[in-house]
Amino acid sequence: MCSGGFAKCLGISLMPLAIVCVLCNILLFFPGGTSVDSKHITVEVWYFGGILGSGVLMIFPALVFLGLKNNDCCGCCGNESCGRRFAMLSSILFAGVGVLGAGYSVIVSSVAINHGPMCFFEKNETEKVWGTPFSNGDYLSNKTFWTLCEEPKDVVSWHLSLFAVLLVMGLIQMALCAVQVVNGLLGALCGDCCGGGDGN
């Protein structure tokens, strides 16, 4: 497969991943599937890791990768493949943007999973408050801690599931963009099709 065609496959793969990440981030604004006051939403949700990092910043690389297959630049310096090579080289820059965006989402998701969700819990025998009853991911290995959160219902599993999806999707996006860096270098050095002309 030529480098332009391979890049298109990567772009096609990135688009649904970006959409899933945006949807996950939106769902996190409704902890436990319910509507709560904005000040009771876990702080990491407001960092928009899924919407900005793995969403918006991933759309640009995906669109660039999709367009590389049909790139018909007119060439330069008497070399017809020059335009294609430059396009493949520029795709490396967009792949870098994708890695940064996905990396941001991965970091936010990791921190959110470690901190746990914000919920209504019993701070002591006489006081119940909104806050984060967990620390350093202690709830991950002990599900009995999940009962500390009284409201919203099932907020711990909601929080953990959606941020875990964002974490995995972000890692996949980073891997795909890293593959495009290698693919872009090969396309820039060898032309659109190494050993097979320039992909015409």
Side-chain angles (χ1 to χ4, degrees), residues 177-194:
C177 287
V179 168
Q180 177 53 28
V181 170
V182 176
N183 183 50
L185 283 172
L186 290 175
L189 294 174
C190 305
D192 194 31
C193 292
C194 289

Side-chain angles (χ1 to χ4, degrees), residues 98-185:
V99 169
L100 290 176
Y104 173 71
S105 179
V106 166
I107 292 172
V108 170
S109 299
S110 299
V111 172
I113 290 173
N114 186 56
H115 285 174
M118 179 177 286
C119 63
F120 188 67
F121 70 102
E122 187 175 301
K123 187 175 183 180
N124 51 54
E125 293 182 358
T126 59
E127 184 181 12
K128 291 185 177 182
V129 297
W130 280 92
T132 306
F134 312 115
S135 62
N136 298 321
D138 55 0
Y139 71 102
L140 295 173
S141 58
N142 191 346
K143 290 187 71 171
T144 57
F145 284 174
W146 296 17
T147 56
L148 291 174
C149 284
E150 297 181 11
E151 296 178 20
K153 185 180 179 182
D154 299 323
V155 66
V156 179
S157 57
W158 183 272
H159 173 94
L160 184 57
S161 299
L162 291 174
F163 271 116
V165 170
L166 284 174
L167 178 63
V168 172
M169 294 294 105
L171 290 172
I172 294 174
Q173 288 174 330
M174 289 178 70
L176 292 176
C177 287
V179 168
Q180 177 53 28
V181 170
V182 176
N183 183 50
L185 283 172

